[in-house]
Amino acid sequence: MKQLLPLVILLLAACGQQTLIPEVFDREKAVVEIRDMYQAGQFQIDSALSNFPELEKVILKSRDQVLVIFLTLEKDDGEFERVQQSGVFIRDGRFVLTVGHGFYMDDAVLTKVEARLVSGHELLLEPVHLYYEAEKRPAVDYAILQPIVPYSTKGFDASSGGGIAGDVIIMGFPGGLGLDNAGGVIHVREVAQGGVYPLAVLCDRLLMNPHILRPMAGAIPIRGMSGAPVLDEQGGLVGLFSSVSRTRSITGWHYIFEMSEVPWSVIDSLVLNLSAWGPQKFN
């Protein structure tokens, strides 16, 4: 439990400015709750985005295309486990894209894939194509899913910026947490109807290693952010949030994120000729 207290330190200073974080922590509590940490991070990123108007527009325009994905796994002992990650609509809603590493379990069998939309609507999904190769850099880590009942929406397209560096935004549901209409942090399962929007982290995409992201504002995401879309200032999809780690420099330890590339060639092949692949079945 002592490890929860330093989590407050994970709230990052945006854009070199000193941002005052509103009082959201109950001083009577012995520990800091995770949702309180994310609420403080939300106050911070709201302030930081005033310096990034284009990214703020991207969030408002694109957040309804981000989903919470639930994987139901049956373990060898007969117990069931539900794993949560983030995902995004692509290609007019024909497919949902997320990372693939959560689908590879040595001691469990995937029995169901579900998604919850920002609106609260739920979809059943079917894996169409999976790939995960952690040793490559950038990592090859994706799962392409198809709604069992067709769902029409805009979805994301490829970024026109190529491999250049720059400011990006990540939107997802770490720990199943999101924002209600009033900007409060809640769990997606606490709201039966109405919108629950993704949380965002503002990052800098490194010039020499564009698959590495340096967080600038927001809270460091915990499990559940995997598969979240990484968007540029034009709202193009440049990658998927894959993992978080730490690196050391002369100024100390810093958190960094790694993103996996979007397999657009595979996706386009599926759009043109889905029957040639056929859905993967998990028995």
Side-chain angles (χ1 to χ4, degrees), residues 17-141:
Q17 293 183 328
Q18 184 176 1
T19 304
L20 295 178
I21 300 175
E23 184 67 56
V24 297
F25 300 115
D26 185 349
R27 295 182 181 274
E28 299 299 320
K29 293 181 179 179
V31 296
V32 176
E33 293 187 8
I34 294 296
R35 74 170 62 199
D36 292 336
M37 183 189 76
Y38 279 105
Q39 188 69 72
Q42 185 61 34
F43 282 129
Q44 188 194 55
I45 199 168
D46 284 344
S47 175
L49 284 173
S50 62
N51 298 309
F52 299 87
E54 294 304 317
L55 286 175
E56 187 173 22
K57 291 177 183 177
V58 168
I59 292 175
L60 295 176
K61 182 180 179 180
S62 307
R63 60 186 183 177
D64 62 342
Q65 301 298 309
V66 184
L67 309 89
V68 191
I69 296 175
F70 298 99
L71 311 180
T72 301
L73 305 168
E74 183 178 5
K75 295 186 175 182
D76 291 343
D77 59 6
E79 295 292 325
F80 286 88
E81 180 182 0
R82 207 176 197 204
V83 178
Q84 178 256 314
Q85 55 191 61
S86 300
V88 62
F89 281 116
I90 53 173
R91 294 293 193 253
D92 300 320
R94 290 186 180 94
F95 301 104
V96 170
L97 183 66
T98 184
V99 290
H101 62 252
F103 290 79
Y104 290 88
M105 298 286 180
D106 294 332
D107 60 345
V109 175
L110 181 66
T111 61
K112 183 187 293 186
V113 185
E114 305 165 275
R116 187 189 192 279
L117 282 61
V118 163
S119 63
H121 184 74
E122 295 188 351
L123 292 175
L124 285 176
L125 303 174
E126 191 170 35
V128 174
H129 196 66
L130 307 175
Y131 200 101
Y132 177 48
E133 189 171 351
E135 291 73 19
K136 283 191 175 182
R137 288 295 178 269
V140 182
D141 186 8

Side-chain angles (χ1 to χ4, degrees), residues 72-246:
T72 301
L73 305 168
E74 183 178 5
K75 295 186 175 182
D76 291 343
D77 59 6
E79 295 292 325
F80 286 88
E81 180 182 0
R82 207 176 197 204
V83 178
Q84 178 256 314
Q85 55 191 61
S86 300
V88 62
F89 281 116
I90 53 173
R91 294 293 193 253
D92 300 320
R94 290 186 180 94
F95 301 104
V96 170
L97 183 66
T98 184
V99 290
H101 62 252
F103 290 79
Y104 290 88
M105 298 286 180
D106 294 332
D107 60 345
V109 175
L110 181 66
T111 61
K112 183 187 293 186
V113 185
E114 305 165 275
R116 187 189 192 279
L117 282 61
V118 163
S119 63
H121 184 74
E122 295 188 351
L123 292 175
L124 285 176
L125 303 174
E126 191 170 35
V128 174
H129 196 66
L130 307 175
Y131 200 101
Y132 177 48
E133 189 171 351
E135 291 73 19
K136 283 191 175 182
R137 288 295 178 269
V140 182
D141 186 8
Y142 64 84
I144 303 172
L145 314 172
Q146 184 181 27
I148 292 177
V149 177
Y151 187 85
S152 178
T153 187
K154 183 178 184 299
F156 285 106
D157 289 316
S159 168
S160 59
I164 63 174
D167 301 316
V168 295
I169 203 80
I170 307 172
M171 289 194 292
F173 296 88
L177 298 173
L179 296 174
D180 62 17
N181 291 320
V185 175
I186 57 172
H187 195 279
V188 294
R189 289 299 185 187
E190 294 179 14
V191 179
Q193 295 181 341
V196 180
Y197 301 99
L199 292 163
V201 182
L202 177 65
C203 299
D204 176 34
R205 193 178 180 191
L206 302 188
L207 179 61
M208 300 304 295
N209 294 294
H211 66 285
I212 298 296
L213 310 177
R214 179 172 53 202
M216 297 191 296
I220 298 296
I222 58 175
R223 185 175 183 180
M225 197 70 160
S226 295
V230 182
L231 307 174
D232 62 15
E233 292 184 339
Q234 289 74 46
L237 181 61
V238 298
L240 300 174
F241 180 95
S242 182
S243 63
V244 57
S245 59
R246 293 201 301 167

